[in-house]
Amino acid sequence: MSHHRVAVIPGDGIGVEVIAEGIKVLRGLEQTAPNLTFEFTDFPWGCGYYLQHGEMMPPDALEILAQFGSIYLGGVGWPEKVPEEVAVRGVVLAIRFGFDQYANVRPVKPLQGAPFPLAGKDPSQIDFVVVREGTEGLYVGQGGRYARQQAGFEQWASLRPAFLQSDELAVQIGLYSEHGCRRVMQYSFELARRRAGKRLVTSCTKVNALNYGMKLWSDVFEEVAEEYPDIDHEWMHADALAMRFVTSPEHFDVVVAPNLFGDLITDLSATLLGGLGMAAGGNIHPGGIGMFEPPHGTAPDIAGRGIANPVAALLTAGMMLDELGEAQAAHLLNDAVADVVREGAVRTPDIGGASTTQEVGDAVANCILASRPQTSDFRPET
Ligand code: IPM
Ligand code: MG
């Protein structure tokens, strides 16, 4: 009997809509997999909460979340009402950093039948994973803004002529640590081993221009690569790598990237899947509490219309199941999503259909229920 306690943070905008479908589908799995049960606890944190309480989450949010096996999050942000940096730092980054979720895993394996943007390429040849570092780099939120009269201004302003002509300058610090680089790289090599595919880890760097942070990153990468003689390794500058995602996406197996580059290249790689509505993601600290969150955000432009694509959130739930040790249930879920996308009758407008978010969730849940085994363990729906 495996019972999982999951903290659910639907968040804002389409986050709420797609997470509802995720829960629906997970409940469907409960009916199907004989010994699998979930306990979902909803937390209303996000921008709505901020407008009422003046903070994105209560001060003891992390202690509360620490009591769960996993976190399932929709998306946080409502730019019209709450400054974006407040919203994002207050929940998403607070949780990634709070639980030290250093491996932000974003698979790129196009589903059959999904829109595919590259002419002359075969989507079935593409199967890679981006492992984005999630706790360091330019996301650490360090630095400052300096007005001309302020202490500190002069020190920076003397660096460039334009600075001296400015009334204000801003410093955004990127912080990289040897251990922080090493652990996410080791995670990536281990993943390449487990995947047993092309057995290749590509490091996304930019050591030609970023002479401290990316130098450490690249030096550690060479060291870690030596620990895995059975796995090939290579590096690319982030700009060249972005190009290669378009010109030869079939080349890649596991790509390990620093935080900001990882953010950029995973929106790009999502286009290979049919868009952000199809791209899953999980923030993982091996052995710790993970947060599973589709990278698409809250899409305020389509929020409330019932047309958001829930596929990203459903595949994200699949990643959560895998991380919870429920590989079989994850398979069932992923297969059901793949079936619905391949059949094509039920899909949202972003991938060329006319169905609603709920209809896609229903179709996937029904597909799962249809595969229900007729065993003595079978528990009727309640
Ligand atoms: C993502 C998002 C976030 C990020 C934002 C919302 C802070 O773009 O998960 O990719 O930059 O990490
Ligand atoms: Mg992003």
Side-chain angles (χ1 to χ4, degrees):
M1 179 85 186
S2 40
H3 180 70
H4 300 287
R5 299 184 65 233
V6 177
V8 182
I9 308 174
D12 308 303
I14 65 163
V16 180
E17 301 166 42
V18 297
I19 289 298
E21 301 314 304
I23 302 298
K24 180 192 288 175
V25 165
L26 289 167
R27 288 287 184 215
L29 275 174
E30 234 176 3
Q31 295 300 319
T32 309
N35 292 316
L36 180 64
T37 55
F38 298 106
E39 185 181 327
F40 298 113
T41 308
D42 257 46
F43 295 97
W45 304 334
C47 293
Y49 188 90
Y50 179 87
L51 295 175
Q52 278 187 347
H53 303 270
E55 56 195 2
M56 296 293 297
M57 308 195 287
D60 58 347
L62 294 181
E63 283 101 88
I64 296 171
L65 293 174
Q67 293 158 26
F68 291 83
S70 195
I71 303 163
Y72 188 34
L73 180 140
V76 172
W78 191 0
E80 234 175 72
K81 302 271 184 185
V82 182
E84 285 206 72
E85 66 285 4
V86 171
V88 154
R89 286 227 154 256
V91 181
V92 174
L93 298 186
I95 296 172
R96 287 184 193 164
F97 281 70
F99 291 102
D100 203 24
Q101 292 158 341
Y102 64 83
N104 186 337
V105 179
R106 298 183 167 183
V108 185
K109 185 173 184 191
L111 293 180
Q112 218 185 323
F116 183 67
L118 302 180
K121 288 283 174 194
D122 177 358
S124 73
Q125 298 300 304
I126 299 170
D127 181 1
F128 66 93
V129 180
V130 178
V131 181
R132 165 187 176 191
E133 203 293 318
T135 58
E136 304 197 339
L138 278 157
Y139 276 64
V140 294
Q142 295 301 306
R145 279 175 75 155
Y146 299 89
R148 175 170 284 283
Q149 324 69 307
Q150 265 175 323
F153 181 88
E154 275 303 319
Q155 180 208 337
W156 298 108
S158 58
L159 289 175
R160 304 290 310 143
F163 293 177
L164 284 170
Q165 293 171 40
S166 298
D167 290 331
E168 189 182 9
L169 57 81
V171 179
Q172 188 80 49
I173 294 176
L175 275 172
Y176 307 85
S177 73
E178 172 270 325
H179 180 65
C181 296
R182 188 177 303 278
R183 63 184 183 175
V184 74
M185 290 167 180
Q186 284 170 335
Y187 183 94
S188 303
F189 277 92
E190 296 290 339
L191 180 61
R193 229 178 226 172
R194 275 204 308 280
R195 282 165 58 80
K198 299 186 193 83
R199 304 179 79 85
L200 168 67
V201 178
T202 307
S203 161
C204 172
T205 183
K206 189 66 196 173
V207 68
N208 52 357
L210 307 181
N211 51 339
Y212 295 115
M214 287 300 93
K215 184 75 174 100
L216 177 67
W217 173 273
S218 291
D219 286 348
V220 173
F221 183 70
E222 291 305 321
E223 285 175 25
V224 173
E226 275 185 31
E227 298 166 23
Y228 297 88
D230 53 319
I231 305 293
D232 289 335
H233 69 284
E234 64 179 4
W235 58 267
M236 292 182 196
H237 292 314
D239 48 351
L241 187 138
M243 186 182 68
R244 291 290 293 279
F245 271 14
V246 176
T247 58
S248 43
E250 68 284 348
H251 168 82
F252 297 97
D253 180 16
V254 176
V255 177
V256 61
N259 211 340
L260 181 60
F261 292 152
D263 180 46
L264 305 180
I265 63 174
T266 52
D267 266 26
L268 176 59
S269 59
T271 66
L272 301 171
L273 299 169
L276 278 172
M278 305 290 286
N283 302 278
I284 294 168
H285 180 117
I289 298 172
M291 173 169 66
F292 295 82
E293 159 207 20
H296 54 49
T298 56
D301 53 328
I302 58 160
R305 292 170 52 196
I307 56 165
N309 190 346
V311 165
L314 300 182
L315 295 175
T316 294
M319 290 183 70
M320 176 167 79
L321 290 172
D322 254 328
E323 198 58 24
L324 289 170
E326 301 292 351
Q328 224 184 328
H331 242 286
L332 210 56
L333 191 161
N334 292 338
D335 283 356
V337 172
D339 284 353
V340 169
V341 172
R342 190 179 50 249
E343 282 160 19
V346 186
R347 46 170 68 179
T348 44
D350 58 306
I351 55 166
S355 308
T356 64
T357 310
Q358 292 184 0
E359 285 165 348
V360 176
D362 288 346
V364 173
N366 286 334
C367 201
I368 287 171
L369 290 173
S371 68
R372 185 159 39 192
Q374 305 300 309
T375 69
S376 53
D377 283 335
F378 169 66
R379 288 172 300 117
E381 262 173 79
T382 49

